Structures are given as C-alpha cells and as structure tokens.
Amino acid sequence: MKSLSILGSTGSIGTNVLKIVEMFPDKFQVRVLAAKNNIDMLAEQIRAFSPDFAVVFDEKSALKLKNNISGSGVEILFGHDGYRSAASHPPVDMVIAAMVGSAGLIPVLAAIDAGKSIALANKETLVMAGEIVMKKAGEKGIKILPIDSEHSAIFQCLSGHRREDMHKIFLTASGGPFLNLPLNEFDRIRPEDAMNHPTWQMGRKVSIDSATLMNKGLEVMEAGHLFGVSLEDIEVIIHPQSVIHSMVSYKDGSVIAQMGIPDMKGAIAYAISYPERLPIGQPLPDFEKIGAFTFQKPDYKKFPCLALAYNAGKTGGTLPAVLNAANEVAVEAFLNRRISFRDIPEVVEKTMGRHFVIAYPELSDILKADTWARRIAEEQVG
Ligand SMILES: NC(=O)c1ccc[n+]([C@@H]2O[C@H](COP(=O)([O-])OP(=O)(O)OC[C@H]3O[C@@H](n4cnc5c(N)ncnc54)[C@H](OP(=O)(O)O)[C@@H]3O)[C@@H](O)[C@H]2O)c1
C-alpha cells in the first residue's frame, strides 16, 4: 500500500491520479489532498478519500472548506506552511506534484528534504530550479518519476540501455490547435480557440502553453534536467497524431519510441506504480484507423516561444525562471483578454531582454528573479 500526497488534486492531472487510486484501493491510499481554491471539488474529494488533512491557498478558502466538510474530522491547513506540511507528512511515501506553475517549486523541495519519492507533473519546478532540485534529489537518493507523457516516454526508452550509447532525444509535439493556421490569422486567436487542443484534455495554463509551443520549450528544459542531457541533444519534432510520446536514438542508428493513446492516465499510472504496470483499461492505439504517422519540423516563426525557451535553457542561470514567470503573467493576461495571442512571446522576450542573468543562482536568487520578472511582465501587459 503506497501512501500519497496529491498537490493539485483538483486539476486535470490531480483528478486523473484520483481515478487511478479509485481503481486500485488495495495499492494506494490518499493521505493528503491540496488545491488552491476549488472548495466544492476538494470537499467532494475529502468525502470520497478521507485524507489525514487537506490544504488550500488562504485562510478564507480554509474556513469555507471547514464549513463544507464539518463533521468529517479532516483537518484543514492553508498557505505555504500548509503546502510544506502536505509535502512532508511523515506517513506519505510519494508526493504527486500536480500543481500548476511556480507554486510547485517550494513544496517539491520540501518533499525532497523530507525524503519522499516524487511523481512530477509540475514541469515549472525543473524549469525554474532544475539544477538545485536534481542536485538535492541526487544527494538524498530520491527518485523523481516523470508524469509528463513525453518524459515518461523518454524514461521508458532509456530503460535498459547504457546512457553512454544514447545519441539524442526526439521530443514529440502535437503542434497544438494552430499547427496549420497561417501566421496572418494569428491576430484573431481567442482564448477559447487556444483552449481547444486537438488531442489532449488539459488545464488552462498548459493548454495555452501547448498552443504557443511554450509547453514544448518548458519540456525541453525539463528533459535536460531530468535525464542530464544537453539541450543540443534534444530535438523537438511535430507529430500531430500524438501517439508516439517521444523517442530516443542510439549510436547504432536504432530509434526507440514509446506509444499509447493521448491520455495522461498511462503516464500517471506508470509514475505512481513504477516499476509495475497497472491494468488501467487503457485501449491500444487503433493503428488501422490512424493510418499514418507524420512528422515535421516546428515553425519557429509562427511559434517564437519555442526558440525563447531553448535560448533561456541554453543560457541557464536565472533566465529560465524569468521566462517562466513572464510566461505565466502573459498567459493569464491572454486568458483575461488583456493581451493578444501574439503578445505572449513579446511579453516574454521583452522581459528576458531586461534581465541581468545570475549564472549560478541560489534558490533565493531564483525566487527574486521570479518576482522581478512578474513585475516587468505586468508592465509590458500594461
Ligand atoms: N493536464 C495535463 O495533461 C498535463 C500534462 C503534462 C504535464 N502537466 C503539468 O501538470 C501541472 C498541472 O497541470 P493541470 O493541467 O493539471 O493544471 P490545472 O488543471 O490547472 O490544475 C492545477 C492544480 O493546481 C492547483 N493550484 C493552482 N494554483 C495553485 C497555487 N498557487 N498554489 C497551490 N495550488 C495551486 C489547482 O487548484 P484549484 O483547482 O483549487 O485552482 C489545481 O488543483 C502543470 O505544471 C502542467 O504543465 C499537465
């Protein structure tokens, strides 16, 4: 029986984790649930899974939740201390990092400090502070198992092979909803168009990141840190069918791919039950119906966020945290119709352009860069 703490339990990843937990009550037990302020869903989850405690963002949400679940005996915590407790609760074996954005970083570090194994969906954690996180995890002997489907695929393609035989990683991308939209029509893109992903069902922020290809850029950095690979050896390739979740090539010309239908439950189940594979009832890809797999190079002119992310990742230091923070501000502004789709890369680029990079940052430098970049990006949004 594995005890879980699920950070971001009300999100797209979090709810899929709970679906798997429900399928295997003899294998998993939920000890902690944490979200931001979706009180109604969290209350339902508390009633269904009876955790030791639950955590929300602020005191107001905590009071509301307490009223909602009164009589359940489940303690409610809030704020940074609450998330830290969620990440380090002694009975927990594995922490699922499924919060969105920079909010994931401090709880993941707390989980590593507490010696928990980690199933990581929150790519922003590694983008912001990959060196610090991986070093700490290495020192503690902690395994970080990827939930991102591409990283789960790479992890599987690397298994059983010698790292020194690896040639490169092909990180696949669906291309998002605007793969075939001409650049001169990008000015008309509305949030609801960008949310409408052709192959994956995801949360708001990651859906917009997928539409700009920033998501792929963040994933390149995530893969670099997780697998200790230089970004020069990670190539993004567009594969609109989203069946090949990524590939690894070797010195002898072999290419190993991992495939499955585009549904996060496969990667989630593998991360939380590794090395066991669970019978989650996932159908196989219908190869005859799919007919053909296609591949193409990404169009950096249409999707400048991908180039910005490669640039930030190759420069390193505090620049990836600045890119990440500026992107979070820009995506939120786009969702609130304050800026256009094409303004997103502009806000990110201008913010990056004003930053003096600290090459070997401490955690405090990264957090300062994050705060600074949010202020500068807000200025760009106007
Ligand atoms: N969705 C996917 O298919 C997918 C695939 C691969 C990787 N990922 C990564 O997984 C992470 C989660 O994505 P998602 O799509 O599941 O996001 P989502 O649906 O937006 O859910 C985000 C979760 O985080 C919580 N949250 C948001 N802001 C928070 C804050 N400041 N402090 C604490 N909790 C906060 C939310 O709580 P409330 O509901 O209360 O707001 C919710 O539980 C992201 O890093 C994403 O890039 C997602």
Side-chain angles (χ1 to χ4, degrees):
M1 179 71 89
K2 199 179 266 181
S3 295
L4 305 177
S5 170
I6 306 173
L7 312 182
S9 65
T10 53
S12 163
I13 295 289
T15 49
N16 273 310
V17 172
L18 288 171
K19 279 183 196 156
I20 293 165
V21 169
E22 263 176 337
M23 282 183 221
F24 302 96
D26 53 328
K27 284 190 183 297
F28 304 108
Q29 185 185 21
V30 176
R31 301 299 290 254
V32 185
L33 292 168
K36 187 178 183 188
N37 47 24
N38 186 346
I39 301 309
D40 292 341
M41 190 188 287
L42 191 53
E44 255 176 56
Q45 293 179 345
I46 289 171
R47 283 190 276 273
F49 295 95
S50 307
D52 298 347
F53 63 92
V55 188
V56 288
F57 189 68
D58 54 21
E59 194 170 5
K60 199 171 144 212
S61 303
L63 281 174
K64 216 169 136 194
L65 184 58
K66 267 183 199 163
N67 286 336
N68 202 318
I69 55 140
S70 66
S72 70
V74 174
E75 198 186 348
I76 307 300
L77 309 180
F78 65 89
H80 294 304
D81 290 344
Y83 293 127
R84 267 198 212 99
S85 304
S88 56
H89 187 42
V92 163
D93 302 307
M94 176 177 256
V95 171
I96 319 280
M99 289 153 129
V100 66
S102 59
L105 174 58
I106 299 296
V108 167
L109 287 170
I112 295 173
D113 275 337
K116 310 295 183 194
S117 58
I118 294 171
L120 186 79
N122 180 260
K123 62 196 83 180
E124 294 90 343
T125 287
L126 289 183
V127 169
M128 291 175 74
E131 261 126 50
I132 294 174
V133 171
M134 295 309 291
K135 185 165 174 265
K136 238 178 194 270
E139 284 164 4
K140 283 262 185 185
I142 280 166
K143 249 199 159 29
I144 300 186
L145 291 150
I147 282 186
D148 231 334
S149 59
E150 294 79 357
H151 303 75
S152 176
I154 296 162
F155 178 65
Q156 294 175 58
C157 295
L158 287 170
S159 285
H161 300 277
R162 302 189 325 160
R163 189 55 65 87
E164 58 268 37
D165 293 337
M166 193 198 98
H167 168 241
K168 71 171 168 181
I169 289 173
F170 290 95
L171 194 72
T172 55
S174 69
F178 309 126
L179 176 63
N180 298 316
L181 189 74
L183 184 56
N184 61 14
E185 290 182 33
F186 270 38
D187 285 330
R188 282 191 278 152
I189 294 172
R190 300 162 306 165
E192 51 274 34
D193 306 321
M195 289 288 296
N196 193 14
H197 196 276
T199 46
W200 294 96
Q201 291 293 317
M202 304 177 289
R204 277 157 46 101
K205 194 236 171 203
V206 64
S207 294
I208 304 304
D209 284 348
S210 296
T212 61
L213 289 202
M214 179 61 92
N215 183 50
K216 216 38 65 179
L218 301 179
E219 286 179 5
V220 167
M221 289 187 258
E222 181 185 11
H225 289 298
L226 266 179
F227 306 113
V229 174
S230 141
L231 301 202
E232 275 83 14
D233 294 334
I234 304 176
E235 183 176 332
V236 172
I237 185 155
I238 306 290
H239 164 56
Q241 296 76 29
S242 296
V243 173
I244 297 179
H245 294 152
S246 276
M247 305 180 265
V248 175
S249 63
Y250 288 90
K251 276 180 186 166
D252 61 357
S254 291
V255 182
I256 300 188
Q258 188 269 340
M259 298 186 221
I261 62 162
D263 182 322
M264 286 307 296
K265 285 198 283 301
I268 292 170
Y270 194 58
I272 67 174
S273 66
Y274 175 80
E276 187 180 354
R277 288 187 185 266
L278 297 173
I280 55 171
Q282 194 93 307
L284 295 177
D286 186 340
F287 291 110
E288 283 173 23
K289 199 166 159 205
I290 296 163
F293 284 170
T294 58
F295 304 96
Q296 63 194 77
K297 272 188 180 306
D299 182 338
Y300 287 90
K301 234 171 136 188
K302 272 169 71 174
F303 302 105
C305 284
L306 183 55
L308 291 172
Y310 262 109
N311 173 11
K314 285 179 182 170
T315 305
T318 43
L319 198 56
V322 166
L323 166 127
N324 180 65
N327 181 56
E328 285 186 24
V329 169
V331 167
E332 196 56 36
F334 170 65
L335 283 167
N336 294 328
R337 298 175 204 274
R338 292 170 64 206
I339 61 171
S340 74
F341 186 77
R342 291 185 73 176
D343 289 334
I344 297 174
E346 261 191 47
V347 169
V348 175
E349 187 170 12
K350 284 187 177 153
T351 307
M352 284 168 69
R354 285 178 57 182
H355 181 62
F356 292 100
V357 177
I358 299 175
Y360 300 101
E362 307 274 332
L363 181 62
S364 58
D365 299 319
I366 289 170
L367 297 177
K368 262 187 229 151
D370 173 272
T371 308
W372 174 88
R374 283 170 201 278
R375 182 169 57 77
I376 302 301
E378 277 297 350
E379 276 174 33
Q380 315 288 338
V381 167

